[in-house]
Amino acid sequence: MLDIPLRVRVDVDALIAEQRDMGVCDAIGRNAPAGRPAAMSTPHLPKVAGIDSAVPGSAHTAAALAAGDPGPVPAIGPGALIQDRLASWVSDLTTLHELTERLARTATLDDALHELLRAGAALVGARRGMVVLEPPEGRGPAITTGLGLAHADLGHIETVPRSATPHGRILDGAPATIPGAVAQADLFRDEGLDPRLREVAARLGYAASYALPLATKEAGKLGVAVWFYDEPAEPLERQRHLVGLYGRYATEHLARLLELDRARRRLATITEELLPSRLPRVPGVRLAARQLSGPRGGGEWYDALPLPEGALGLAVGAVSGSGPSTLAAMGRLRASLRAYAVMEGEDPVAVLSDLELLLRLTEPARSATALFAYCEPALRRVVLAGAGHTPPLITGTRRTEFVETSLSAPLGMLACWEAPSVEFSPAPGETVLLYSDGLLRRTGDSMDRAFARLHAAAAGVPRALRDDPAAVVDHVLRTVLPGVDTDGPGDADGPGDADDVVMLAAWFA
């Protein structure tokens, strides 16, 4: 051990104490000595990751130094200890900064929880872990995610009574208190341990655990993260300090994501309420529809309503903008189109002309695209008009092609909108697909490539599914947007995942 004078020892302790309060640079500036001590200029081994510079070099290194300099190698002074300590602090701060930056780049709860587990495992020196997210009621879903643990392993852990597990004690504690971390250094030597927990630990092959609460005064208690060691161990004091700082930042980040997720769910619920709750039943045609909500709540919509004399009105559209105000405008526009369709649905151009006039008078700062089709299923006759909207797609066993519609501007873009209608006749067993341009934007491709992808997806529908419009819609969406969940409203990851998607299918007998 180095023989450090008392005065120098006091200075080092003061530096360490003040650095905790004011930061590395300020502590150095306040405690800098008036003169340059000789010990600060004494040569010492450089700081290398994984190597303690206070440990003497090997005999070969000492011999080489002696060959170049006959004099003895000077002893390492207190200045080297201070530099080593500062280098360790800087390294810890750099590591913490990099890990928090990676966490800040996560945009979903699942990604954030997995990043939390990976970073925490690196900080405490563990290999496996799990996080149990149980926010207060109404703030978000309960989630359990593992690192290096399969679903069956998490199920084994859940068989242990919560009161016997460290994460259970943290979660079930007083809600108003911020619990501390719980370390179990050796599960098999702890006589007070529940035998069921020891049995599960032996089955999963871990011998120690460290549980960190995910709780702050601002965010409250959101959950707990637990890391597991293969051998008896527990994190050092320095590791506990770092993972504690990281855990507080992660808790605040998770709280923000929970709030964002709750806002998205509210927008999705509002969108569902503004769209048809069920599709009408009209002889000679079968209908199916799907809607995918984006994170910001767009204004894309669809509608289907029975008309006099066995006719059917089909419509899709999109209002510019996003958020609650756009959803409100979309609801008003859809309700107005239904009224115009009942009055003059056999003339789609007149329906869209009335809708354009209403939009200019009530929503002068907005524009909208729309497509309305007047269908007579008994005659298999469709008359449609579009205002800046994407053309329908006809698909069947003999053909898959886009309907040729005339070029037209969106509603609200011109002083007076007008465009000719188009009439076509679907063959028996063919399906007409009406969709929003959000489907094309979500692909991330150019419009030409997106249209080609949509055409290929419709042409590739298996023959056994072509008589089921719901199966046709699901196949097309899953092909154009791989990984999308068509069972209900939800987000799809991709370059354009902020866009809503709607698709309406009509199969003609």
Side-chain angles (χ1 to χ4, degrees), residues 290-377:
R290 295 291 184 269
Q291 182 262 339
L292 305 175
S293 298
R296 293 195 296 268
E300 305 198 5
W301 53 275
Y302 69 90
D303 203 355
L305 67 157
L307 297 176
E309 299 180 357
L312 176 69
L314 303 177
V316 291
V319 180
S320 61
S322 61
S325 61
T326 299
L327 291 177
M330 177 265 283
R332 292 191 293 267
L333 205 65
R334 172 180 168 266
S336 301
L337 185 139
R338 292 177 69 92
Y340 298 144
V342 171
M343 292 186 295
E344 47 192 8
E346 67 279 359
D347 186 358
V349 173
V351 172
L352 293 186
S353 296
D354 293 343
L355 195 65
E356 195 271 341
L357 177 61
L358 177 71
L359 184 68
R360 284 196 292 113
L361 294 177
T362 60
E363 305 281 348
R366 294 187 186 276
S367 63
T369 64
L371 187 148
F372 177 75
Y374 177 79
C375 307
E376 294 177 300

Side-chain angles (χ1 to χ4, degrees), residues 9-302:
R9 190 185 305 275
V10 172
D11 291 343
V12 174
D13 292 341
L15 173 62
I16 296 173
E18 295 195 22
Q19 188 274 339
R20 295 174 182 170
D21 298 328
M22 69 184 73
V24 175
C25 298
D26 294 338
I28 294 175
R30 179 171 297 186
N31 293 278
R36 181 181 178 86
M40 293 294 290
S41 60
T42 56
H44 58 279
L45 298 179
K47 178 71 175 181
V48 180
I51 300 176
D52 188 355
S53 59
V55 179
S58 64
H60 299 287
T61 305
L65 293 175
D69 185 5
V73 178
I76 298 176
L81 298 178
I82 296 177
Q83 287 187 350
D84 287 344
R85 180 62 63 87
L86 293 180
S88 177
W89 289 336
V90 171
S91 176
D92 290 344
L93 291 175
T94 302
T95 301
L96 197 59
H97 173 74
E98 292 176 353
L99 294 178
T100 53
E101 283 291 314
R102 290 177 56 179
L103 181 63
R105 287 193 292 268
T106 58
T108 64
L109 277 174
D110 288 340
D111 291 342
L113 294 177
H114 283 94
E115 179 59 31
L116 165 64
L117 285 176
R118 286 192 294 266
L123 290 174
V124 301
R127 189 172 60 89
R128 294 178 291 175
M130 75 171 186
V131 59
V132 181
L133 193 67
E134 291 186 3
E137 185 176 358
R139 292 190 58 184
I143 301 175
T144 300
T145 302
L147 173 68
L149 296 173
H151 289 291
D153 299 334
L154 297 176
H156 286 311
I157 296 176
E158 291 178 353
T159 60
V160 182
R162 283 171 63 102
S163 59
T165 62
H167 64 273
R169 294 198 297 269
I170 292 176
L171 291 173
D172 297 337
T177 61
I178 303 299
V182 177
Q184 293 180 326
D186 193 341
L187 295 174
F188 301 105
R189 291 190 177 183
D190 188 353
E191 297 181 355
L193 194 67
D194 191 297
R196 288 167 290 186
L197 178 58
R198 186 181 294 107
E199 179 183 351
V200 170
R203 177 180 301 178
L204 300 183
Y206 68 88
S209 66
Y210 183 74
L212 178 71
L214 301 176
T216 62
K217 293 182 179 179
E218 294 76 13
K221 188 190 301 181
L222 300 183
V224 60
V226 188
W227 292 277
F228 303 106
Y229 297 89
D230 295 341
E231 302 292 338
E234 62 179 312
L236 303 174
E237 183 63 30
R238 168 175 162 270
Q239 292 174 315
R240 296 190 185 202
H241 180 64
L242 285 177
V243 77
L245 294 175
Y246 181 80
R248 287 195 288 272
Y249 178 84
T251 302
E252 297 295 336
H253 183 65
L254 291 174
R256 291 189 292 268
L257 291 179
L258 285 171
E259 184 64 28
L260 181 60
D261 182 72
R262 182 169 57 173
R264 290 176 178 176
R265 292 177 183 273
R266 288 176 178 174
L267 286 176
T269 301
I270 295 174
T271 303
E272 284 186 80
E273 293 298 326
L274 291 175
L275 295 178
S277 58
R278 61 184 181 88
L279 297 174
R281 294 185 177 182
V282 178
V285 66
R286 292 208 300 263
L287 302 175
R290 295 291 184 269
Q291 182 262 339
L292 305 175
S293 298
R296 293 195 296 268
E300 305 198 5
W301 53 275
Y302 69 90

